[in-house]
C-alpha cells in the first residue's frame, strides 16, 4: 500500500481524487489546505474518514509519514511544497506547471535529485491517445523524419477570476500542453524561440491572450504555434489542430478523432508529387493513456520499480523552458535561446 498526502484541496483536487478512487494499492492518509474547512469538505465528499486534516504540510507529514505527496497547490507555492516533501523523504507528483519561474524549477529538480526521490509532473495531455499514436507513427518512419510542426489553438473561454487578470495568460496557463505535446511527438529538443503576444480589441483579458511563437526544436525541426484565448467562432479542440510535415509526407490531426496521413509517391503529376493515404495504426496496448489516472499509475510504477516516470521533472523542465523562453521573447522582442536546464 502506498500512502499519500494530498496538498491543495481546490477544484483541481477533484480530478486527482477521482483518479485515486480507481487505483488499488493507494491510500490518501492526509489532506492539507490553508482552508481547513475546505479540506474537511473534500474528505467528506470522498469518504476519506481516516485522513489527517491540517493547514501545515510539515505537521501532517510528521504525523502520517507517507510515501509520497500529491501537490495541487497554486504554482507560487510549489517550491515550498516540494522542499517540504523531499525533506520528509517523500516522492512528489505535482500539478503543472512544474514551477512559477525558471529559478524555482531548477531548485525543485535539483532538490529531487539530491533527495533521490521520484519527482514527476501531471502533464496529463501527453497521455491523450492520439498523441501517443502520432509519436509511434512518426517513430516508425512511415513518412520519414518530421521537419516542421504546426499547431493552432483557438478557444475563447470566459473563465472569470484570476486568469482574466494574469500577465502572459495564454503562455502561462495553457500553452505548455501544446509545447510539451509537440516536443514529445517529434522527439524535439528546444533550442530557441521567437514569440509575439498581443491583446486584440475583442479581448476580455488584461494581457497576453494571443500569441504566435516559432521554436527551433533541433535536428532541423521547426515548431510554429498560433494561439488565442479570445478567438470566438470555429473553436479548435483543447488539444489544438495539428499539421506535421515530414520528409516523405504529412500528418493532420484535428485534436479530436480525425487523424490522417499521406505518403509522397515517386510520381509527379505536373507541378506536384502524387500522394496516397497511409494508415496511422491504432493505439498500442503498451501506450500509457488516461490523463491523471495514467500518470498516477506511471508514478507509482516508477517508485515500485526504481525506474523514471515519463513526465519526470528533469525532463518536463524542458517544456517549461519553452514557456519561459516564449515569455522572455515576447517581452524583449528578440529571439531567445532555450537552455537545457536538466537532463
Amino acid at each position: 500500500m502506498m500512502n499519500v498526502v494530498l496538498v491543495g484541496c481546490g477544484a483541481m483536487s477533484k480530478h486527482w481524487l477521482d483518479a485515486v478512487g480507481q487505483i488499488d494499492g493507494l491510500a490518501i492518509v492526509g489532506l492539507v489546505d490553508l482552508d481547513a474547512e475546505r479540506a474537511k469538505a473534500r474528505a467528506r465528499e470522498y469518504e476519506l474518514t481516516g485522513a489527517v486534516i491540517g493547514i501545515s504540510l510539515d505537521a501532517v507529514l510528521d504525523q502520517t509519514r507517507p510515501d509520497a505527496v500529491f501537490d495541487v497547490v497554486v504554482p507560487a507555492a510549489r517550491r515550498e511544497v516540494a522542499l517540504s516533501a523531499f525533506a520528509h523523504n517523500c516522492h512528489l507528483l505535482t500539478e503543472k506547471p512544474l514551477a512559477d519561474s525558471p529559478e524555482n524549477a531548477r531548485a525543485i529538480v535539483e532538490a529531487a535529485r539530491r533527495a533521490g526521490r521520484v519527482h514527476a509532473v501531471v502533464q496529463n495531455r501527453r497521455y491523450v491517445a492520439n498523441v501517443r499514436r502520432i509519436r509511434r507513427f512518426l517513430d516508425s518512419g512511415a513518412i520519414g523524419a518530421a521537419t516542421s510542426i504546426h499547431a493552432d489553438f483557438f478557444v475563447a473561454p470566459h473563465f472569470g477570476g484570476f486568469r482574466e487578470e494574469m500577465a502572459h495568460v495564454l503562455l502561462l496557463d495553457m500553452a505548455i500542453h501544446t509545447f510539451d505535446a509537440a516536443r514529445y511527438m517529434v522527439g524535439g529538443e528546444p533550442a530557441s524561440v521567437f514569440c509575439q503576444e498581443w491583446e486584440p480589441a475583442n479581448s476580455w483579458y488584461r494581457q497576453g491572450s494571443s500569441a504566435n511563437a516559432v521554436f527551433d526544436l533541433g535536428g532541423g525541426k521547426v515548431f510554429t504555434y498560433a494561439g488565442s484565448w479570445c478567438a470566438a467562432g470555429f473553436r479548435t479542440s483543447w488539444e489544438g489542430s495539428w499539421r506535421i510535415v515530414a520528409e516523405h509526407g504529412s500528418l493532420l490531426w484535428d485534436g479530436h478523432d480525425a487523424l490522417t496521413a499521406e505518403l509522397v509517391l515517386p510520381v509527379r503529376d505536373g507541378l506536384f508529387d502524387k500522394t496516397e493515404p497511409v494508415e496511422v495504426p491504432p493505439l498500442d496496448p503498451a501506450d500509457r493513456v488516461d490523463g491523471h489516472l495514467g500518470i498516477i499509475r506511471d508514478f507509482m510504477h516508477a517508485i515500485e520499480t526504481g525506474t523514471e516516470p515519463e513526465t519526470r521533472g528533469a525532463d518536463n523542465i524542458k517544456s517549461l523552458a519553452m514557456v519561459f523562453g516564449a515569455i522572455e521573447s515576447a517581452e524583449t522582442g528578440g529571439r531567445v535561446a532555450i537552455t537545457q536546464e536538466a537532463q
Side-chain angles (χ1 to χ4, degrees), residues 242-302:
W242 296 78
R243 176 188 290 263
I244 298 177
V245 182
E247 294 170 314
H248 308 302
S250 292
L251 176 146
L252 295 178
W253 178 38
D254 69 351
H256 297 289
D257 296 326
L259 179 55
T260 57
E262 287 188 344
L263 176 67
V264 174
L265 299 175
V267 179
R268 187 161 294 169
D269 183 6
L271 294 175
F272 302 101
D273 292 325
K274 287 189 175 182
T275 61
E276 67 177 7
V278 57
E279 180 185 3
V280 180
L283 194 68
D284 190 279
D287 286 327
R288 296 188 294 276
V289 292
D290 294 331
H292 280 75
L293 178 60
I295 288 179
I296 293 172
R297 283 177 170 158
D298 194 21
F299 176 72
M300 292 176 65
H301 177 77

Side-chain angles (χ1 to χ4, degrees), residues 83-332:
L83 297 183
S84 178
F86 298 141
H88 287 81
N89 206 37
C90 295
H91 304 286
L92 177 66
L93 181 61
T94 179
E95 187 57 63
K96 67 87 185 170
L98 187 160
D100 62 340
S101 71
E103 295 76 20
N104 283 339
R106 290 192 292 268
I108 292 170
V109 170
E110 175 59 20
R113 187 195 64 78
R114 290 198 309 268
R117 299 290 86 186
V118 174
H119 169 231
V121 181
V122 176
Q123 202 68 59
N124 58 309
R125 285 188 166 88
R126 181 180 281 212
Y127 282 50
V128 170
N130 279 336
V131 171
R132 316 302 287 197
R133 292 175 66 198
I134 291 170
R135 169 64 182 257
R136 191 176 295 279
F137 176 72
L138 293 174
D139 282 351
S140 76
I143 57 174
T147 59
S148 57
I149 306 95
H150 309 279
D152 290 342
F153 176 86
F154 294 102
V155 182
H158 291 266
F159 291 112
F162 72 93
R163 285 183 180 88
E164 294 185 5
E165 297 300 321
M166 283 176 65
H168 309 294
V169 60
L170 178 66
L171 293 172
L172 276 177
D173 192 60
M174 187 65 197
I176 191 169
H177 288 299
T178 314
F179 295 175
D180 183 74
R183 189 172 72 84
Y184 169 74
M185 289 191 292
V186 303
E189 293 289 334
S192 66
V193 59
F194 177 79
C195 181
Q196 180 181 7
E197 287 180 312
W198 70 98
E199 210 54 49
N202 62 297
S203 174
W204 49 94
Y205 294 87
R206 182 177 72 83
Q207 196 274 327
S209 68
S210 299
N212 283 356
V214 180
F215 291 90
D216 177 355
L217 289 186
K221 296 184 287 287
V222 173
F223 167 48
T224 70
Y225 170 83
S228 176
W229 267 141
C230 62
F234 302 106
R235 184 170 71 242
T236 66
S237 159
W238 286 91
E239 314 310 330
S241 176
W242 296 78
R243 176 188 290 263
I244 298 177
V245 182
E247 294 170 314
H248 308 302
S250 292
L251 176 146
L252 295 178
W253 178 38
D254 69 351
H256 297 289
D257 296 326
L259 179 55
T260 57
E262 287 188 344
L263 176 67
V264 174
L265 299 175
V267 179
R268 187 161 294 169
D269 183 6
L271 294 175
F272 302 101
D273 292 325
K274 287 189 175 182
T275 61
E276 67 177 7
V278 57
E279 180 185 3
V280 180
L283 194 68
D284 190 279
D287 286 327
R288 296 188 294 276
V289 292
D290 294 331
H292 280 75
L293 178 60
I295 288 179
I296 293 172
R297 283 177 170 158
D298 194 21
F299 176 72
M300 292 176 65
H301 177 77
I303 294 171
E304 292 162 355
T305 62
T307 57
E308 290 189 323
E310 181 177 310
T311 60
R312 61 193 179 278
D315 179 76
N316 187 257
I317 196 172
K318 298 176 184 179
S319 297
L320 188 62
M322 294 174 72
V323 172
F324 289 124
I327 289 172
E328 182 181 347
S329 174
E331 289 180 339
T332 63

